[in-house]
Amino acid sequence: MSFETRKTPQMLGVRTCQCDFCRRQGAVNISDPAGAIEIDCGPDDIHRYRFALRTADFLICRTCGTYVAAVMGEGGRIVSTINVTGLRMADFLDIEEAPADYAAETTEARIARRFEKWTPTRFVHTQLAASNFGPH
């Protein structure tokens, strides 16, 4: 997985979602709507997990069980946020975490926020790129 941004880690900051899933995983996430993420794993490498509103796929490594990213898409547009703790992105690990609570969001507001704030994403493997990452 690669993450490209013109911002420093301090400029981006890190978020800790307060939902049960993210808290259990110890997730600390980043995204940059002006950046780019490339995910280079095949369908045998990850497990796609959906819960609650089922608006995004949480990608879990089949080898180690780490939550690495959350992905959402519509049509050809795919966006994601990545877990810097799970990916051991050292430049982000000492930044003060900003708790984020999205529990009060409507489904529509959550989708709109993600398309506005998450990072444009491309999958290297066509089997995943062709997957439906839209809300179900």
Side-chain angles (χ1 to χ4, degrees), residues 14 22 33 41 46 54 61 66 102 111 116 118 120 122 129 136:
V14 296
C22 288
C41 60
I46 61 165
R54 303 182 59 76
C61 175
T66 299
Y102 305 114
I111 292 167
E116 179 183 340
W118 284 10
R122 182 179 88 76
H136 288 153

Side-chain angles (χ1 to χ4, degrees), residues 53-132:
L53 298 176
R54 303 182 59 76
T55 56
D57 285 355
F58 290 76
L59 305 182
I60 312 294
C61 175
R62 287 191 189 271
T63 302
C64 68
T66 299
Y67 154 56
V68 294
V71 180
M72 186 186 82
E74 187 172 80
R77 185 175 180 204
I78 299 172
V79 294
S80 65
T81 183
I82 55 177
N83 178 7
V84 299
T85 303
L87 295 170
R88 297 182 181 215
M89 296 173 71
D91 292 345
F92 293 92
L93 298 181
D94 291 330
I95 297 174
E96 185 175 344
E97 300 168 3
D101 189 347
Y102 305 114
E105 282 183 324
T106 64
T107 302
E108 294 77 18
R110 183 164 297 182
I111 292 167
R113 174 184 49 80
R114 289 173 175 167
F115 274 125
E116 179 183 340
K117 304 280 186 182
W118 284 10
T119 308
T121 301
R122 182 179 88 76
F123 283 90
V124 172
H125 294 276
T126 57
Q127 294 126 325
L128 281 177
S131 298
N132 180 6

